[in-house]
Amino acid sequence: MHVLRVFNTNVVLARDPDGREVVLTGRGLGFQTGPGQPVDESKVVRVFVPDDGRNADNFGAMLASIAPEHVQVVDRALAPVWAELRREPSSTTVLALADHLSFAIKRRQRGIDGVFPLRAEVAHLYPRELHWGESIVTAINDELGVDLPLEEAVPVALHLVNASFNSGNLALTYRMTGCSPRSSTSSRRSTEAPWSGSR
């Protein structure tokens, strides 16, 4: 594999032997390297193959903006979900959940609680995904020493519904559940501005 772009010292875009653009993570993977250089495969921890037609360059840039430990914990916490669904891990779902939960952790640290009015609907329509969501939030709390409320399992469950339908479009999931994300997204937008691009 050869490097196409270095996002930071831990995340690079590369071309694999099959000609696909993939995003690689690993401590020090991007240190003192650049486009055209061979990848030090001994440092590679995770290979992300963007799915759902997602642009690999954009995927890598977003991944690089998330704390590596958040991505790793989410990746591990999702393993039982993929096993039960009997499908390969979805890079898009890992990224989406890591992005959401990373934001939730920062929001919690500021003393801001999210508003998730959809719990009753999600519990009724998708109890399995809500259970998975609660397990993931618990794993995040245990491994990272944070105190996210279990209500965060609601948006996590919606991402997992999305994964269950093998769709990359969360808006479609909202339509299928008959739920509107307006309350929670407006809360996120109102608190996201000071971050200067880090979600």
Side-chain angles (χ1 to χ4, degrees):
M1 290 191 286
H2 285 79
V3 175
L4 297 176
R5 180 180 175 186
V6 176
F7 294 104
N8 60 31
T9 56
N10 301 313
V11 182
V12 304
L13 178 69
R15 192 174 302 282
D16 73 5
D18 296 324
R20 300 176 301 177
E21 290 188 352
V22 295
V23 179
L24 311 177
T25 64
R27 186 176 298 278
L29 188 60
F31 182 65
Q32 292 187 336
T33 190
Q37 297 295 313
V39 172
D40 183 349
E41 298 190 30
S42 68
K43 294 181 179 179
V44 175
V45 172
R46 179 74 154 81
V47 178
F48 289 95
V49 181
D51 41 22
D52 301 319
R54 192 174 186 112
N55 179 275
D57 196 63
N58 292 340
F59 185 101
M62 189 171 176
L63 187 66
S65 74
I66 305 169
E69 60 271 23
H70 295 174
V71 178
Q72 291 163 9
V73 171
V74 167
D75 204 14
R76 288 194 295 270
L78 279 169
V81 175
W82 305 132
E84 191 161 342
L85 289 174
R86 297 183 180 180
R87 56 167 290 186
E88 291 297 312
S90 162
S91 294
T92 298
T93 302
V94 174
L95 179 64
L97 279 184
D99 178 54
H100 170 79
L101 290 167
S102 185
F103 174 83
I105 290 168
K106 293 177 182 179
R107 185 183 61 210
R108 184 69 169 174
Q109 289 169 344
R110 293 176 176 179
I112 302 170
D113 290 325
V115 179
F116 306 112
L118 311 178
R119 184 180 182 88
E121 291 92 336
V122 173
H124 174 69
L125 293 168
Y126 299 105
R128 178 184 66 170
E129 284 78 6
L130 185 60
H131 172 71
W132 286 339
E134 291 173 345
S135 297
I136 289 170
V137 171
T138 298
I140 294 288
N141 285 340
D142 290 347
E143 292 200 40
L144 297 178
V146 295
D147 63 341
L148 293 178
L150 273 184
E151 283 75 12
E152 289 289 348
V154 174
V156 171
L158 288 173
H159 280 291
L160 297 177
V161 170
N162 198 39
S164 299
F165 283 106
N166 200 25
S167 164
N169 185 354
L170 192 58
L172 176 62
T173 299
Y174 287 123
R175 290 200 298 273
M176 288 186 294
T177 60
C179 298
S180 168
R182 183 165 37 192
S183 298
S184 59
T185 55
S186 62
S187 172
R188 173 167 176 157
R189 285 173 186 155
S190 68
T191 58
E192 201 170 28
W195 279 25
S196 126
S198 175
R199 293 159 54 182

